[in-house]
Amino acid sequence: MSITTPEHDERIAQMKFSSVYPHYVTKVEKKGRTKDELHQVIEWLTGYDLKKLEELIESQVTFEKFFEDATLNPNAHLIKGVICGYRIEDIETPLTKQTRYLDKLVEELARGRKMEKILRVV
């Protein structure tokens, strides 16, 4: 049994990355982290460099398209814990799980976690 509903998963899939990105920036900067650090975290997870990220924001892709074209980091499965009320390990829908991975990394960055820990350097 899935812990997310099909409606919830579809809402995430259709959400535009460009509408959430400014919130990520605000969240990390408010806590004294930088936009560059945020970009480093996003690139680690997705493989997108700054130029590609700017293109995706400009073209207003959905999260579905954002993750469809991403090259997920092989250590992404090491991202665990609760985010937005859901335990990441229990999310079955791949896209919802990937989106929550990103949310979790942004939260860890904002909380002041060391970059090596966020990037799951093993």
Side-chain angles (χ1 to χ4, degrees):
M1 170 156 169
S2 183
I3 63 164
T4 59
T5 64
E7 297 78 18
H8 175 264
D9 294 336
E10 184 58 25
R11 199 167 53 248
I12 286 177
Q14 297 312 313
M15 211 178 336
K16 295 205 182 308
F17 177 76
S18 60
S19 69
V20 178
Y21 174 76
H23 299 289
Y24 290 156
V25 173
T26 302
K27 184 173 187 166
V28 301
E29 287 183 341
K30 201 165 65 177
K31 297 291 188 168
R33 299 305 284 260
T34 67
K35 208 170 176 179
D36 285 344
E37 288 174 308
L38 173 62
H39 293 158
Q40 188 181 347
V41 166
I42 294 171
E43 184 171 352
W44 177 87
L45 180 64
T46 64
Y48 295 142
D49 63 14
L50 182 56
K51 184 177 181 302
K52 180 65 177 172
L53 193 59
E54 287 169 346
E55 285 171 20
L56 292 167
I57 291 167
E58 183 68 29
S59 56
Q60 301 211 356
V61 297
T62 60
F63 270 98
E64 185 170 39
K65 182 73 177 145
F66 182 83
F67 279 108
E68 187 179 289
D69 296 340
T71 304
L72 215 61
N73 189 293
N75 287 333
H77 70 280
L78 299 173
I79 303 168
K80 297 185 182 334
V82 176
I83 188 77
C84 302
Y86 297 98
R87 178 157 290 286
I88 294 173
E89 306 90 292
D90 296 341
I91 298 172
E92 292 173 3
T93 310
L95 175 63
T96 302
K97 182 177 268 199
Q98 293 164 356
T99 305
R100 294 307 180 206
Y101 281 162
L102 181 55
D103 291 340
K104 187 70 175 171
L105 294 176
V106 171
E107 179 187 77
E108 289 177 355
L109 184 63
R111 286 193 170 165
R113 218 166 172 218
K114 286 185 173 26
M115 198 53 95
E116 317 70 87
K117 297 257 190 228
I118 297 170
L119 302 184
R120 306 318 195 252
V121 176
V122 284

